[in-house]
Amino acid sequence: MATEFDWNNSLLEQWEWHWNNQIRARLQGLTDDEYFWSPVPDPWNVWPRGASTAPLQAGAGDFTIDFAFPQPDPAPFTTIAWRLGHVIVGVLAGRNASHFGAPPASYESWEYAGTAQDALDQLETQLDVWVKGVRGLSYTELTAPVGNKEPYPELAVADLVLHIHRELIHHLSEVSLLRDLYAHTPREGKKS
């Protein structure tokens, strides 16, 4: 007798393997200097309120995140702080609110982290909500259309899960690369 394939487990394994075997260790020890650092002038970043020169600054707390609409071409360089803010809010918190009953979240209403550790804490919190939510989905729920909560309402919830996992792997790999660049870039007062 054949058993039903466990899609839920396979979808979670896609993300959890990368998180537990690659990404989590690469985020350990992230410093505030790395978090805000940019190798180029005028990046999009997370800034103390009033310090940004971007056309749009979103956020409800002491720090805001940079945006522009429409997005410039080429898009501005983004720092680790910006990338983590995007992952925490745009990739996870908004979806956690829409699909798993978490509090409402948007770029405009979010209190962005002013330190690397606060950002990593926010990331862990949102990841915990996401993984718990995905783990609780039945096969029927995974194969149901995602509905009007997403730009492509006809796609299955499983398609959304795959998309979010690709986004997490993509952006957090960029963060890892920026950490490598930071470690190997000569700066005043740093031995090369």
Side-chain angles (χ1 to χ4, degrees), residues 19 21-22 29 45 50 62 73 84 88-89 91 109 117 129 139-141 162 171:
W19 177 246
N21 292 289
Q22 294 176 324
N45 206 344
D62 293 335
D73 185 18
L84 287 177
I88 292 163
V89 181
V91 175
S109 67
Q117 187 57 56
V129 173
Y139 176 81
T140 301
E141 290 168 319
L162 288 168
H171 288 300

Side-chain angles (χ1 to χ4, degrees), residues 26-100:
R26 296 283 291 147
L27 295 176
Q28 290 177 353
L30 180 68
T31 67
D32 291 348
D33 194 47
E34 288 174 284
Y35 179 64
F36 292 114
W37 177 75
S38 176
V40 300
D42 303 318
W44 275 1
N45 206 344
V46 170
W47 301 92
R49 183 168 294 285
S52 173
T53 59
L56 298 173
Q57 300 114 49
D62 293 335
F63 288 82
T64 61
I65 193 167
D66 294 336
F67 284 100
F69 187 78
Q71 181 173 308
D73 185 18
F77 180 84
T78 56
T79 65
I80 290 174
W82 191 96
R83 291 164 201 243
L84 287 177
H86 169 63
V87 166
I88 292 163
V89 181
V91 175
L92 291 169
R95 271 32 182 268
N96 288 339
S98 294
H99 299 283
F100 300 127

